[in-house]
Amino acid sequence: MSALFVRDVNARTGNNMKVGFVAMFVLTIATGIYAVVSSFGSVSSRLPPLGNAIGISVFLLAPLAIPMAEKMKEKFLNGEMKVYIEENVGDHVERIESGIKAEDDQTREDDGVCVEEIGAMVMLKRVNFWLYFFVYLSGATLGLVYLNNLGQIAESRGNSGTSSLVSLSSSFGFFGRLMPSLLEFNSSRSRYMKSRPACIAALMAPMAGAFFLLLSTANISLYISTAIIGVCTGAITSISVSTTTELFGTKNFSVNHNVVVANIPVGSFIFGYSAALFYRREASEDGKCMGMECYRNTFIIWGSLCLLGTFLALVLHARLRKFYSHT
């Protein structure tokens, strides 16, 4: 249905993309905060359903004000520019437009920079692929496995706030997916390309600490760890798209990235099954396990794997350091 409204646009007509991006980012954050706050029982009980629907509709429609404002500004500036051109610098404007076109062509060339343009079969023979594969396996995939088992983990610790934990993980996962957009925006406006493997390593380090923090018996540690794992998992998932493109090119991106994320079902089975084995070992006759010992060994293993993934991400960064220093 949305394809009916798709049309070609001239990207150069935006005179203040930075303001538009910041406005869109702020509106997105505000929408996420409103959705999270309105989902709390104490707030949702006071807010009528119609009021909640109107509120979320206003937030969802608010981004439309950005292109409308840009369009009005464009018409105003175009009117002034036409007068200026007719009275003064017709030839000069042509030279400026030629310069802008050359700059845009150069920008498009720079945007297509990658380590190498290869297909899936060749990619499987690269050391960089296997480093990246195991980094994703011990990072985003491990985070997804934790979030999928969050209900049972909370139950084993005697925590009754499972719904609030799920809301917490979902909201921080949403905010985590937004974080790489700032990285991409800043990279597109500067000549220096930031290292994605280094960013992934910076996100996996606090994830490892969050798993070890779960060894604490305090309930607050469960909430803090869930928030950290949620935001880091969301951010790594988003960054991985750009990372696959930079490492292996754009022509075969869809196939290459599907091969990379094949570690999700594999990792979910391995990590989930091993966690179930530890859980059953400590379970009572009725099959339920209550206490910190239910997932203690699992958290130690997961935290260690996350530390290993951090190290592998740093190795991948070291291998690509020359590439990022020349782009």
Side-chain angles (χ1 to χ4, degrees), residues 5 29 34 84 97 101 146 215 218 220 223 225 231 241 280:
F5 302 96
I29 292 291
Y34 178 82
Y84 182 73
E97 290 181 347
K101 185 178 185 300
Y146 168 79
L215 298 175
I220 189 64
Y223 287 91
S225 296
V231 70
V241 176
R280 292 173 184 172

Side-chain angles (χ1 to χ4, degrees), residues 166 216 252 270 322:
V166 172
S216 171
N252 301 288
I270 295 175
K322 184 179 296 186

